[in-house]
Amino acid sequence: MRLIKYVFLLAVVFAALKVPGVLFAKPLPVSMLQMFFFFSAVVILLAMTATDEGAAGLVQPVISLFIDPSYTISRAVVIIIIPLIAAWITFAAVCDEAAAPPIVRSLHPSPPSAFTAYGRTIEMAGLANPYRAIEKTDEAAFRGLVLEGGKLYFKNCFFCHGAKLDGAGHFSQGLTPLPLPFKGTDTIAQLQESYVFWRIVKGGPGLPHEATPWLSAMPAWEKMMTEDEVWKTTLFIYDYTDNRSRSWAR
Amino acid sequence: MIFYNALGQLPEFLQRKRPRFALEDFSARRSFNCAVLLLVLFATLVSSNVCLASTQIGKDIYQKRCSWCHGANGNGDGPAAAYLNPGPRDLTSGVFKWKSTPFDEPMPTDQDLRASIAGHKPATGTLAGLNGTSMPGWSDVLSDDEITSVIDYIKELGGLDPPALPSIELSGMTNPTDAEKARAKELFKDRCSECHGAEGRGDGTKRLKDDWGGRTWPRDLTKPWTFRAGSGVEAIYTRITVGIPGTQMPSFADTRSKKALTEAERWAVADYVASLANADTMPVAGAVARAARIETETPAMPDDPAWSKAAGAAFYLTPQLIADERLFTPTIDSIVVKALYNERDFFMLIEWHDRTKSLPGDSLAASLADGQVYPDGVAVQFPSALPDEDNATLPPFGMGGKEANGAVDIWFWQAQAKPGNNETLRILQASGPQKIKDMDTNASGVTAIGNYDKGVWRVVFKRPLKTQTDGMQFNGRRFITFSLAAWDGSNAERGSKHTLTPWLWMSMTGPPNKSIYFWPAAIGILSFAIIWLIFRNTVRRG
């Protein structure tokens, strides 16, 4: 019950903070909001544990700080110093010109259910790498396809995604956001091959609204590579990094 | 044991010390001999086997990791090679650029090869390879032993013998006196500037190529982070002493040459080269440009003294790789932005190192250029409507897009297109690379003046803060979004073949305005109120 009261209080304060932004076009920077919520969380925690019998021992020093007469000076110091520190941190944040404004962007937005490329509509459902089947049936032919994919990768992608497939290509440094790595378990290992196909074919410009602003330098390869070539390149980036694509089954 | 074999019996001192080994019986001695022989044979087999295995492991690693650039047979002709300058080394040629052995010793040491392959970790940042090239450092994916195996394989590919001469001596390093420093500057002018330029920015007057037929650009010595094999004085001394094999950069220790330098002179020149480093042009991740408020000056010229006081921010230039026609082998790599504004106008100085002043129709420019000469140029892009504070509505950075808020304004300056011509300025509005509209330059209020001097372009753009035209307005916002593009016309750059930056930010720092005290005060009072509330609560309950 008390928690609800505190949360309500928080909401009121938050609204109060937002008012200047809405009315006077002086919006509150995101970093400051984060800080406000951090402090509030700490305060709520303190207040909650203070009334709980079990936690009483834990917060005894805090309580005595507030009510014990012999702590008068420390009490005054705490009540004044903490707000001053908070104000100072805020001041430093406001004055920090060196930092660019933060941009929130979704890294792996959900794909559309269908997209147009190569002159037709491609459904995501059921989209699969046509060369995967050969992997088990004809090892030699499969290695040949991977090799072709490698050659395509090293003509089109390594500048950005790197000769080690680590996202650190020789032209990657100047890009924001940075090209993503393929090695490791955070990117293509978490994705369907069809998702990877869609990302390569439609690139940064084909990202959905959810992933805006459109900052990605990832080219839309539909104009520069055939469908076949994209699938072969996909084979290669999984093979080189010893990753497997995620399947619905797992 | 070997002793025993050769002499038929153990030498005396061994016999005395270890009588147990004194074998008197002849047949016992024979069988012992056989055993030793077998052992030696076995050992030889095993070790040769290890050798074989090592180059086999090396070959496998090479095929998986290196062949894409250096070629399946090591000829430097992998699928990536066509897109690179410098090109990947032809490992069968036996020529290595980054070696520590003297100029008259063609073979590198194993340590030299290891340094090139393993890479190095700079004081800040991640593992780097041969700086400024596509050759990465490999020590994060290959173990020391694996690198040894690859080196063995490379030595096999190039038919390399161990070097007959040891690495050059680095013990003669001294701190040059002032007189020696002055002399080093003279020596640099005389020996190095024809290639590296008067101030070392690589703007020499010689067209260079390497032994493999590739175009080479002499290093910009003011950018030590682009030095392939280290930028310390010792590394520079090594380059001056050894030369860079396969390129036209000679050894200055070769006494047969008129240009030879003594050891002390080479140390002094190395020290001078190290002093040319200019950190202002080095891009720093996350840098933000600044526009500072000035009162009266109007720094419309690139050489106005107000600019030397202004703070600059450096950014990487990346070649345009997004849409055809693309650029793969850029010659310019970083760009510096300074900005100032007064009550009425906004001034932006854009400064970048370019080895060549690309003047079409000029004979010097033609003699240095790679192909036909086009004019150099630079462009600044702004979103036509500055986005809201959380930047969710930034236009696509490659010349905007079709969506609402997708339009961009571009100020496109170009150097003279012919001797005697004027520089040109075009004002464009684009909503995508295919939808570009020329605007009225005069009405836009933008002017631009450029100046090339000793390897540096400086271009100043000027515009009133507020204009009557639609498009971007400086409306008192703290962060201005912009991006840049640059063209080196001597590198066949024109149209979509150019270098660029992603969206960047510029903070406009005005005279201190009261709003910066607003939030600190609000937060301070708020936290005080909350603590006070808790205090009252506790007291009441306690």
Side-chain angles (χ1 to χ4, degrees):
Chain A
M1 263 342 269
R2 309 213 49 222
L3 180 64
I4 291 171
K5 239 197 270 174
Y6 278 119
V7 170
F8 178 72
L9 193 75
L10 255 182
V12 171
V13 175
F14 175 62
L17 283 176
K18 262 296 192 193
V19 164
V22 177
L23 292 187
F24 311 119
K26 251 183 218 154
L28 182 65
V30 179
S31 54
M32 250 160 276
L33 269 188
Q34 286 167 351
M35 206 176 59
F36 167 62
F37 279 108
F38 172 71
F39 274 103
S40 317
V42 170
V43 164
I44 291 185
L45 203 81
L46 277 178
M48 295 290 294
T49 45
T51 55
D52 186 329
E53 254 62 55
L58 252 176
V59 292
Q60 194 53 50
V62 179
I63 295 176
S64 35
L65 180 71
F66 278 140
I67 55 178
D68 192 329
S70 62
Y71 282 127
T72 320
I73 295 180
S74 328
R75 180 156 61 232
V77 166
V78 165
I79 291 178
I80 290 164
I81 295 285
I82 290 183
L84 278 183
I85 291 177
W88 176 250
I89 293 175
T90 317
F91 185 69
V94 172
C95 286
D96 182 13
E97 292 155 2
I103 290 188
V104 191
R105 226 183 127 254
S106 157
L107 207 58
H108 288 133
S110 39
S113 56
F115 59 96
T116 41
Y118 303 112
R120 64 173 207 276
T121 300
I122 301 175
E123 299 284 338
M124 278 302 257
L127 182 62
N129 194 333
Y131 295 122
R132 257 314 150 203
I134 309 176
E135 188 171 10
K136 299 224 174 56
T137 55
D138 188 345
E139 169 77 18
F142 185 74
R143 299 305 330 155
L145 291 168
V146 170
L147 183 69
E148 279 179 54
K151 289 180 178 165
L152 290 161
Y153 180 87
F154 277 92
K155 286 178 177 174
N156 294 302
C157 324
F158 80 114
F159 322 99
C160 296
H161 292 284
K164 294 184 281 185
L165 279 68
D166 55 358
H170 56 291
F171 294 140
S172 64
Q173 282 165 304
L175 302 173
T176 330
L178 289 170
L180 287 163
F182 301 136
K183 77 174 203 188
T185 52
D186 295 339
T187 59
I188 57 170
Q190 299 295 326
L191 302 171
Q192 304 264 331
E193 239 177 323
S194 55
Y195 186 99
V196 173
F197 177 82
W198 164 65
R199 283 308 322 274
I200 300 173
V201 167
K202 301 306 282 185
L207 283 169
H209 243 281
E210 183 191 339
T212 53
W214 280 286
L215 303 173
S216 169
M218 170 71 183
W221 289 95
E222 57 180 323
K223 297 188 197 81
M224 295 183 277
M225 282 171 119
T226 65
E227 236 174 307
D228 257 14
E229 289 175 331
V230 174
W231 284 125
K232 285 177 196 160
T233 311
T234 312
L235 287 184
F236 172 76
I237 63 177
Y238 278 102
D239 184 80
Y240 189 97
T241 56
D242 290 330
N243 273 325
R244 302 297 301 176
S245 73
R246 211 162 90 158
S247 64
W248 290 118
R250 255 184 291 155
Chain B
M1 283 205 234
I2 305 294
F3 256 124
Y4 180 83
N5 269 334
L7 302 176
Q9 63 173 104
L10 279 168
E12 251 179 22
F13 68 95
L14 276 183
Q15 281 188 19
R16 238 179 283 122
K17 267 190 185 157
R18 295 186 186 148
R20 271 188 299 146
F21 284 122
L23 303 171
E24 303 300 312
D25 178 275
F26 176 75
S27 67
R29 213 158 70 196
R30 258 257 291 267
S31 54
F32 190 79
N33 262 345
C34 276
V36 167
L37 209 80
L38 271 173
L39 214 86
V40 169
L41 216 82
F42 182 70
T44 328
L45 262 173
V46 167
S47 67
S48 71
N49 224 342
V50 165
C51 242
L52 270 181
S54 173
T55 46
Q56 185 57 47
I57 295 171
K59 185 175 179 181
D60 289 347
I61 295 172
Y62 177 87
Q63 290 305 340
K64 166 149 189 174
R65 310 273 180 192
C66 325
S67 63
W68 309 108
C69 295
H70 292 285
N73 304 313
N75 293 323
D77 59 354
Y83 301 89
L84 299 173
N85 185 351
R89 188 75 61 259
D90 174 351
L91 296 171
T92 62
S93 68
V95 177
F96 291 88
K97 285 187 190 173
W98 314 116
K99 69 182 190 71
S100 62
T101 50
F103 67 90
D104 46 357
E105 168 58 72
M107 297 298 157
T109 65
D110 280 13
Q111 187 46 43
D112 293 338
L113 292 175
R114 183 175 295 276
S116 292
I117 297 167
H120 63 281
K121 201 144 188 176
T124 57
T126 48
L127 180 70
L130 296 174
N131 298 323
T133 80
S134 57
M135 170 74 184
W138 291 95
S139 60
D140 57 343
V141 287
L142 300 178
S143 68
D144 281 356
D145 288 347
E146 287 173 322
I147 293 178
T148 307
S149 306
V150 179
I151 292 175
D152 286 342
Y153 179 64
I154 286 178
K155 290 200 285 194
E156 194 180 290
L157 275 176
L160 305 193
D161 300 319
L165 299 173
S167 297
I168 58 161
E169 203 44 67
L170 293 175
S171 56
M173 187 170 165
T174 49
N175 268 337
T177 61
D178 284 350
E180 280 169 332
K181 281 186 176 163
R183 169 110 180 97
K185 195 170 171 180
E186 289 304 311
L187 289 171
F188 182 88
K189 274 224 166 62
D190 188 56
R191 306 295 208 280
C192 322
S193 64
E194 58 170 336
C195 295
H196 290 286
E199 315 254 305
R201 298 193 187 105
D203 54 322
T205 48
K206 261 184 125 172
R207 187 194 164 88
L208 305 174
K209 59 179 176 38
D210 64 21
D211 286 5
W212 303 278
R215 177 70 202 262
T216 49
W217 299 98
R219 194 80 64 254
D220 181 340
L221 297 176
T222 67
K223 297 181 172 177
W225 61 94
T226 64
F227 290 13
R228 315 297 191 240
S231 54
V233 175
E234 285 169 341
I236 299 170
Y237 172 84
T238 305
R239 301 287 87 80
I240 302 174
T241 304
V242 174
I244 304 179
T247 77
Q248 283 171 277
M249 162 107 177
S251 157
F252 289 88
D254 183 353
T255 46
R256 288 167 308 176
S257 150
K258 290 199 301 285
K259 306 222 160 165
L261 300 170
T262 66
E263 185 184 350
E265 285 171 334
R266 276 178 270 133
W267 278 114
V269 171
D271 183 77
Y272 175 73
V273 169
S275 77
L276 293 173
N278 177 2
D280 293 348
T281 58
M282 181 171 149
V284 183
V288 168
R290 279 152 200 243
R293 172 81 192 225
I294 45 173
E295 287 317 317
T296 49
E297 309 107 294
T298 49
M301 299 303 287
D303 54 359
D304 194 285
W307 290 117
S308 52
K309 282 177 277 164
F315 304 99
Y316 284 108
L317 283 172
T318 308
Q320 193 282 109
L321 291 167
I322 298 170
D324 278 333
E325 190 183 355
R326 294 171 284 169
L327 172 67
F328 300 102
T329 51
T331 46
I332 45 186
D333 51 13
S334 75
I335 193 157
V336 176
V337 176
K338 294 180 177 182
L340 297 167
Y341 67 100
N342 59 24
E343 217 167 316
R344 220 181 44 246
D345 295 312
F346 172 80
F347 305 87
M348 191 169 183
L349 172 72
I350 300 178
E351 199 175 297
W352 72 100
H353 291 194
D354 179 342
R355 293 181 181 83
T356 46
K357 178 174 183 179
S358 315
L359 182 57
D362 177 69
S363 57
L364 174 64
S367 72
L368 289 174
D370 228 18
Q372 199 181 335
V373 188
Y374 302 103
D376 292 332
V378 72
V380 198
Q381 174 180 265
F382 300 95
S384 298
L386 284 177
D388 54 2
E389 195 88 1
D390 61 6
N391 290 305
T393 58
L394 272 174
F397 81 94
M399 303 193 82
K402 292 184 286 287
E403 49 281 331
N405 283 319
V408 293
D409 290 4
I410 297 169
W411 306 347
F412 177 28
W413 173 90
Q414 255 188 330
Q416 297 147 286
K418 255 198 290 191
N421 273 23
N422 288 330
E423 308 162 8
T424 56
L425 175 68
R426 284 167 66 192
I427 305 297
L428 311 170
Q429 198 162 69
S431 357
Q434 264 77 47
K435 275 200 72 187
I436 307 171
K437 198 163 60 178
D438 256 288
M439 310 298 280
D440 183 342
T441 306
N442 287 333
S444 73
V446 184
T447 58
I449 296 176
N451 171 33
Y452 184 85
D453 184 35
K454 298 196 192 75
V456 189
W457 270 114
R458 292 188 183 84
V459 178
V460 173
F461 289 95
K462 169 184 173 224
R463 202 199 80 162
L465 289 173
K466 298 219 162 58
T467 64
Q468 297 311 312
T469 51
D470 58 348
M472 197 273 289
Q473 298 296 339
F474 297 91
N475 51 5
R477 207 174 264 281
R478 224 190 85 201
F479 283 110
I480 304 296
T481 318
F482 71 102
S483 73
L484 303 168
W487 286 258
D488 176 5
S490 297
N491 190 36
E493 295 177 24
R494 63 163 178 163
S496 66
K497 280 180 83 173
H498 62 77
T499 47
L500 49 77
T501 70
W503 284 126
L504 305 170
W505 276 268
M506 179 189 306
S507 95
M508 290 190 94
T509 57
N513 87 32
K514 295 203 184 65
S515 76
I516 68 165
Y517 302 113
F518 181 80
W519 287 116
I523 296 279
I525 293 170
L526 198 80
S527 9
F528 177 79
I530 293 177
I531 293 176
W532 187 255
L533 218 79
I534 300 171
F535 170 59
R536 296 300 313 166
N537 242 356
T538 334
V539 171
R540 225 187 301 132
R541 198 149 313 109

